[in-house]
Every structure is written in C-alpha cells, then in structure tokens.
Amino acid sequence: MSLSNATPAAESDATPDTTPDTTPAGADAELYAALSLLLRYPEADWVSALPEMRQALPAAARAALAPLLAWFANAADLIALQEVYVETFDSRPAHSLHLFEHVHGQSRDRGQAMVDLREEYLAHGLAPDPAELPDYVPLFLEFLARIPPADASRLLGDAIHVLARLGDKLAEAKSPYACVFAVLRGKTDVQPQPLPEAPEGGLEETPVVFGPEAGGPGTMLRQMQGEAPLRFHASDPRGKRGGAAPPAPPVQSGPART
C-alpha cells in the first residue's frame, strides 16, 4: 500500500479537511484499486493473486482487461513480466507512468505541479509513500479508490487528457497495458482533448495551473471549496470547470522497487 492515513500534524499549511470519512467501498473503488495494481511493477505476491482478482472484477471490466490478464497468465515467468514492464514504462519516455512528465517533461514546473497534487492527497487525509512521486499513475489510481466517488470522478475527469494520451501511445506500440487506459476512459464523461507535446529537457516556462491563479492561500481555499479546478496540463482544453485541490513538500525520486 502506497497511501497511509495522514497524521494530524501532516507537514502541510493547507486548511485541515474536516469532512467525515466517506471512503467508497463500491465497484468503482475496487476497479481503481485493481487498475493501480495492474500498472505496478510485477511482484510475485500480487501476480500470483491475479486469478482471484480477475474473478472479483465486474464482467465488463474483466472483458476489457482480457488482453492484459491473458498476457500475465501466459508469461513464461515473473522475470519475463518484469523485463517487459521495464522496457515498456522505464525505457520509453512516451510511456512514462508519471502524469506530469507528459506535460512538463523534466522542467521545473513539474515539481510545483507535484507539490500541489501531493496537497490534494493530504487534503483527503492520505499521505503518499515518500518513495513514490505524487504523479505516479498507480498511486493516483489508488488515491481514487480511497476517496469519495464524486471526488474520484472529478479528478479522473481532470486527468483523463493525459491518461488518454498515454493509453494511445501504448496502443500504438501494441502494448497489452493499453487496455487499462481504455477502461479509465470509459469511467468518465469527459472527452479527452489533444495535448501539446511535453518539452524535452529544457525549461518550459508555461506553468501548470491548479486553479484560476495558482498559488497562495486564497487559491487553496477556493480549491477546497470546489471553486477552482485541479488541472493536469498547462492549459485546460475544456475551458472552465469546477473542481478542487490544494499545495506541500518537495519532489523526490521515482517509485522504489524491491
């Protein structure tokens, strides 16, 4: 598990979230949790439990994920799964599982975007594992599985433009992982819009916007009241839309694997 309950003294200046715990336990939450697992680095414990997880999935999701589930089932061994995973996600920047890399590349703006996304986790009383970056897709999906359905739906709608482009890149490469992103597209009514290519290496000066005016306690308050959107790209192709989010600590290195 990569998210833990945040302590009351979480290292954040955001206004504390006093909303009662209404963590969903329905089918959508279970689906997000399953998709999070499927996008993680293959480990023996959860790979061996895939048959049970497959049976627990709704029939429609099971059918949509059939290419990936079959690929797991037919792999020669765990090492083969791990090699393909590394080749797919770690060796190709276009397939990166870090959301903001597809927007900012490695520019400094990605760091501020992740600070703000981490605050979104903390505002819901959840603290990300310090070993994982906040924009790591499996972590983001685990987060969706543990927050109220309306919040999960809103945040998925905000992120779907980036997720859809990643899914398209995987489909072009004929990766079995593409079906995970097809399932996510089916979970939101928001239509993915084309995004500009992320800068390669150099500093991109267009900042990620987390609300109409990023930064400052006024913006954070508006975000927490649902008046300012959390955006996963430099300019929102949908125009104005209601949402929520707030900001906190620095960026660390990518997800640790054991």
Side-chain angles (χ1 to χ4, degrees):
M1 184 176 295
S2 301
L3 287 168
S4 59
N5 291 330
T7 61
E11 66 277 28
S12 165
D13 294 328
T15 304
D17 180 18
T18 57
T19 305
D21 183 10
T22 55
T23 302
D28 282 355
E30 293 174 0
L31 178 59
Y32 291 138
L35 297 179
S36 170
L37 201 58
L38 288 171
L39 288 177
R40 288 190 175 275
Y41 184 71
E43 299 284 7
D45 54 352
W46 71 260
V47 170
S48 65
L50 277 177
E52 291 80 3
M53 187 186 80
R54 180 183 179 280
Q55 291 304 314
L57 288 169
R62 191 161 58 242
L65 293 169
L68 182 58
L69 295 172
W71 176 72
F72 273 108
N74 297 326
D77 53 29
L78 182 63
I79 291 178
L81 292 174
Q82 293 171 339
E83 287 176 345
V84 171
Y85 184 95
V86 170
E87 172 62 24
T88 300
F89 296 116
D90 295 351
S91 302
R92 303 184 187 186
H95 298 170
S96 171
L97 284 175
H98 290 92
L99 288 166
F100 294 127
E101 248 182 69
H102 297 276
V103 180
H104 299 297
Q106 295 299 323
S107 78
R108 65 187 174 208
D109 294 322
R110 181 183 173 220
Q112 183 58 51
M114 285 192 288
V115 165
D116 290 351
L117 181 55
R118 187 177 188 278
E119 273 304 313
E120 180 76 18
Y121 296 167
L122 293 175
H124 284 83
L126 297 169
D129 184 338
E132 291 185 347
L133 294 176
D135 68 339
Y136 182 46
V137 174
L139 179 65
F140 178 69
L141 295 177
E142 182 183 339
F143 173 57
L144 297 187
R146 298 183 61 183
I147 63 177
D151 290 346
S153 177
R154 170 179 55 78
L155 289 169
L156 178 61
D158 287 332
I160 198 61
H161 309 283
V162 181
L163 293 168
R165 181 162 74 176
L166 175 52
D168 289 343
K169 298 283 188 182
L170 290 167
E172 289 171 11
K174 302 189 185 311
S175 168
Y177 283 101
C179 63
V180 171
F181 298 88
V183 170
L184 289 171
R185 289 177 79 152
K187 296 303 298 178
T188 177
D189 293 330
V190 176
Q191 292 302 309
Q193 300 297 316
L195 298 176
E197 291 297 323
E200 295 186 16
L203 292 178
E204 171 64 26
E205 294 303 323
T206 305
V208 148
V209 179
F210 285 79
E213 305 154 17
T219 297
M220 288 192 290
L221 181 59
R222 290 196 301 275
Q223 289 170 332
M224 294 180 71
Q225 293 173 338
E227 299 171 9
L230 174 65
R231 295 175 180 168
F232 288 80
H233 35 81
S235 57
D236 190 344
R238 297 163 296 154
K240 293 183 179 179
R241 169 189 167 90
V251 177
Q252 305 114 18
S253 56
R257 289 177 189 148
T258 55

